[in-house]
């Protein structure tokens, strides 16, 4: 299988660790945090994870230095898959300090989640 290369500076991948498969259909929002009041100031993109649990076209092809936030609508995903949901949303706030690609995966289960800086 040939995977298309991302043009976005920020991408994500969601895996459902309880079911042992990619989490398809998770709504994701990318925002930039306003440095003056620490709240999301501008929505850069809205997307939904594909069948492989990925969003590769999320926002701009360059991300200036700053603080960003990914919002995962896990309630919608769990409702669609018939699973119980303790965390209806997951917010991941992270800093971009260089021009490298930033991949932010999310490992998800009904009662826990984790994230890390991917490649």
């Amino acid at each position: 299988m040939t995977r298309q290369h991302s043009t976005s500076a920020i991408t994500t991948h969601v895996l459902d660790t309880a079911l042992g498969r990619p989490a398809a259909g998770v709504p994701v929002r990318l925002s930039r945090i306003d440095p003056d009041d620490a709240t999301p100031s501008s929505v850069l993109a809205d997307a939904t994870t594909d069948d492989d649990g990925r969003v590769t076209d999320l926002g701009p092809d360059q991300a200036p230095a700053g603080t960003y936030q990914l919002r995962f609508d896990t309630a919608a995903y769990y409702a669609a898959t018939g699973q119980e949901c303790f965390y209806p949303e997951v917010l991941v706030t992270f800093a971009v300090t260089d021009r490298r690609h930033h991949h932010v995966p999310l490992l998800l289960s009904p009662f826990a989640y984790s994230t890390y800086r991917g490649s």
Side-chain angles (χ1 to χ4, degrees):
M1 175 170 94
T2 303
R3 181 171 291 155
Q4 293 180 345
H5 292 285
S6 166
T7 58
S8 298
I10 299 168
T11 58
T12 190
H13 187 196
V14 184
L15 298 171
D16 185 328
T17 60
L19 297 179
R21 64 181 186 214
V26 178
V28 180
R29 171 171 282 173
L30 173 66
S31 300
R32 181 143 189 213
I33 303 294
D34 183 338
D36 294 328
D37 65 9
T39 61
S41 59
S42 60
V43 174
L44 301 177
D46 284 303
T48 302
T49 57
D50 63 16
D51 289 343
D52 196 32
R54 296 180 184 274
V55 177
T56 58
D57 188 15
L58 185 64
D61 61 353
Q62 295 288 322
T67 304
Y68 293 81
Q69 185 176 79
L70 285 169
R71 178 190 177 273
F72 298 89
D73 184 353
T74 51
Y77 170 73
Y78 284 124
T81 58
Q83 297 181 74
E84 192 171 349
C85 175
F86 185 70
Y87 296 105
E89 72 177 7
V90 173
L91 298 174
V92 179
T93 304
F94 58 99
V96 170
T97 58
D98 56 39
R99 291 206 173 275
R100 295 185 313 165
H101 174 253
H102 289 72
H103 184 63
V104 185
L106 177 66
L107 303 177
L108 196 56
S109 73
F111 300 103
Y113 64 86
S114 65
T115 186
Y116 58 95
R117 167 82 193 257
S119 59

